[in-house]
């Protein structure tokens, strides 16, 4: 079967750094996405990795290791507005997205 | 104006009623999707369409049907609503010619079946 695992909830402090992990087992791999979703709102695209390594985009970075079936999203200089759920999704061999349940990130002052 | 719109945004209905959720997009994308989201679960694909004449079942299509009236419009119907179809429903689009097939989401429809 296909499976995406990520922690259910994490807590971090404003101004700090947090790493959200995602492990996956899917039928094929054609890329991995991270999305941000504020409560009751639509998911919005954060990053896309298809090759191993780190992709940096401002305060957010995403890392991929295809051999380990592993990715992480790194958020630096945390702000209160970063309180949201972070969804990991893998594009499988049929180019369909398989979604993790999301990690709820709580930022404390 | 939003690129992907959904109507209605909220709906409360009774068991057994037929419900239609509508999605429109101005992004010019050929691919459209319907998902449902439940607390503690990931987004689950109900149906997807790669063009007007191409409709495919997703992971959880039972109890749902869709219609792709035009490239820009994709409707989801619940033929006879039941309480466990209470969920947040999202429409999404992607560009089949794009490199990443990144999906763009509508604002969602919160459906409650009593």
């Amino acid at each position: 079967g296909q499976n995406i695992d990520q922690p259910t909830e994490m807590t971090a402090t404003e101004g700090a750094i947090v790493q959200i992990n995602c492990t996956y087992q899917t039928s094929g791999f054609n890329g991995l996405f991270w999305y941000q979703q504020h409560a009751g709102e639509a998911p919005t695209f954060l990053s896309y990795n298809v090759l191993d390594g780190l992709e940096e985009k401002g305060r957010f970075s995403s890392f991929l290791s295809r051999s380990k079936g592993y990715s992480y999203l790194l958020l630096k200089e945390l702000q209160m507005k970063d309180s949201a759920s972070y969804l990991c999704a893998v594009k499988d061999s049929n180019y369909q997205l398989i979604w993790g349940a999301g990690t709820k990130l709580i930022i404390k002052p | 104006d939003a690129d992907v719109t959904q109507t209605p945004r909220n709906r409360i209905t009774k068991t057994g009623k037929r419900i239609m959720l509508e999605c429109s997009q101005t992004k010019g994308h050929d691919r459209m999707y319907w998902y449902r989201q439940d607390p503690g679960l990931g987004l689950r694909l109900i149906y997807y369409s790669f063009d007007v004449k191409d409709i495919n079942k997703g992971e959880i299509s039972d109890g749902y049907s869709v219609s792709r009236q035009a490239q820009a419009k994709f409707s989801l119907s619940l033929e006879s609503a039941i309480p466990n179809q209470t969920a947040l429903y999202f429409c999404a689009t992607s560009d089949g010619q794009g490199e990443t097939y990144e999906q763009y989401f509508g604002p969602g429809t919160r459906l409650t079946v009593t």
Side-chain angles (χ1 to χ4, degrees), chain B residues 1-45:
Chain B
D1 287 342
D3 294 319
V4 185
T5 58
Q6 292 183 233
T7 56
R9 294 293 313 279
N10 288 282
R11 182 71 183 268
I12 300 173
T13 192
K14 294 183 184 297
T15 297
K17 294 292 188 181
R18 184 178 188 274
I19 297 296
M20 179 180 285
L21 309 183
E22 300 188 353
C23 176
S24 294
Q25 53 115 346
T26 58
K27 300 188 74 67
H29 289 168
D30 49 353
R31 301 183 176 198
M32 298 187 74
Y33 309 81
W34 275 105
Y35 290 96
R36 66 176 279 174
Q37 188 175 41
D38 299 274
L41 299 178
L43 289 162
R44 291 185 290 167
L45 185 62

Side-chain angles (χ1 to χ4, degrees), chain A residues 25-76:
Chain A
Q25 291 178 308
T26 56
S27 56
F29 177 86
N30 283 298
L32 185 144
F33 293 87
W34 284 97
Y35 279 76
Q36 181 189 59
Q37 185 179 24
H38 286 99
E41 298 183 7
T44 55
F45 172 78
L46 285 178
S47 68
Y48 174 73
N49 295 70
V50 66
L51 299 176
D52 290 350
L54 188 68
E55 295 279 344
E56 297 186 79
K57 190 184 294 186
R59 294 189 299 114
F60 293 8
S61 303
S62 56
F63 171 84
L64 175 67
S65 169
R66 288 172 297 171
S67 63
K68 295 182 179 179
Y70 168 70
S71 174
Y72 67 72
L73 180 69
L74 191 71
L75 292 74
K76 303 176 185 176

Side-chain angles (χ1 to χ4, degrees), chain A:
Chain A
Q2 308 205 90
N3 195 51
I4 310 280
D5 285 320
Q6 38 180 146
T8 302
E9 186 174 298
M10 299 181 70
T11 302
T13 304
E14 189 177 15
I17 299 173
V18 70
Q19 177 175 311
I20 302 174
N21 296 326
C22 171
T23 58
Y24 62 88
Q25 291 178 308
T26 56
S27 56
F29 177 86
N30 283 298
L32 185 144
F33 293 87
W34 284 97
Y35 279 76
Q36 181 189 59
Q37 185 179 24
H38 286 99
E41 298 183 7
T44 55
F45 172 78
L46 285 178
S47 68
Y48 174 73
N49 295 70
V50 66
L51 299 176
D52 290 350
L54 188 68
E55 295 279 344
E56 297 186 79
K57 190 184 294 186
R59 294 189 299 114
F60 293 8
S61 303
S62 56
F63 171 84
L64 175 67
S65 169
R66 288 172 297 171
S67 63
K68 295 182 179 179
Y70 168 70
S71 174
Y72 67 72
L73 180 69
L74 191 71
L75 292 74
K76 303 176 185 176
E77 301 170 12
L78 286 170
Q79 301 175 9
M80 297 304 293
K81 67 179 182 179
D82 297 329
S83 292
S85 289
Y86 291 86
L87 313 181
C88 173
V90 171
K91 190 167 47 174
D92 71 7
S93 57
N94 294 318
Y95 290 85
Q96 295 305 315
L97 290 187
I98 310 300
W99 295 83
T103 299
K104 183 178 180 180
L105 178 63
I106 299 169
I107 310 295
K108 295 185 174 181

